[in-house]
Amino acid sequence: MSRPYTVRVAEDPADREACFAVRKEVFVVEQGVAEDIEYDAYDAVAVHVLAVRADGVPLGTGRLLYGEAAAAKTGGDPTVGSLGRLAVSREARGLGVGAALVRAIEDAARARGLTAVDLHAQTHALGFYERLGYAAYGPQFPDAGIPHRAMRRPL
């Protein structure tokens, strides 16, 4: 069955702008995250993935940090990547976009020789990530005023 969207690594400036637009829609507008903390220095070094509808409308995004950029989020293990900023537009929820983005990020991690992916999940999304093979660890903590848990999946 073909999906009504494609997922790709965001290579050019237009793709990256589309990623940032989805993040603004979901995190800043819907969830009330301050814009000045939504975008950070890691955006320049991350691998960004983008889901787009056949007509080019961006539906979702996520990013992978690895190496030095991921160290603070993964306990310093250089073989573990950090998945973050996963966002799916309201209109695209329930279409499998989030899962497709997670798998694309995992593929990017494998391509870079990583052995696991960590993420910080909003607690309401724990079940979503558990269905994709992630296991929560450690205590709940706030990030941008939203409760989160750390999760990891070996690749």
Side-chain angles (χ1 to χ4, degrees):
M1 181 178 104
S2 69
R3 299 185 298 212
Y5 56 88
T6 56
V7 177
R8 63 179 184 254
V9 172
E11 301 283 5
D12 62 45
D15 277 357
R16 292 171 74 97
E17 287 307 312
C19 292
F20 297 152
V22 173
R23 284 169 46 185
K24 182 171 185 170
E25 174 191 336
V26 173
F27 296 127
V28 178
V29 176
E30 278 185 42
Q31 297 184 355
V33 172
E35 201 162 351
D36 62 336
I37 63 171
E38 172 50 33
Y39 307 101
D40 60 25
Y42 295 120
D43 281 326
V45 297
V47 177
H48 298 268
V49 294
L50 175 66
V52 292
R53 212 167 56 195
D55 62 3
V57 172
L59 300 177
T61 187
R63 73 180 187 185
L64 171 71
L65 301 179
Y66 60 97
E68 281 294 307
K73 298 175 182 291
T74 62
D77 185 337
T79 68
V80 179
S82 176
L83 182 160
R85 302 302 201 270
L86 189 76
V88 176
S89 66
R90 189 182 306 260
E91 68 168 273
R93 292 176 195 156
L95 301 177
V97 173
L101 289 164
V102 169
R103 295 304 185 221
I105 289 167
E106 291 168 352
D107 289 345
R110 274 189 208 91
R112 286 158 180 79
L114 304 179
T115 61
V117 172
D118 263 23
L119 58 87
H120 293 165
Q122 293 183 9
T123 53
H124 72 83
L126 287 170
F128 166 77
Y129 290 111
E130 286 167 347
R131 287 189 295 279
L132 294 174
Y134 288 80
Y137 67 90
Q140 182 173 301
F141 60 93
D143 187 359
I146 300 167
H148 284 68
R149 291 272 316 273
M151 301 186 84
R152 177 172 290 185
R153 177 174 186 257
L155 297 176

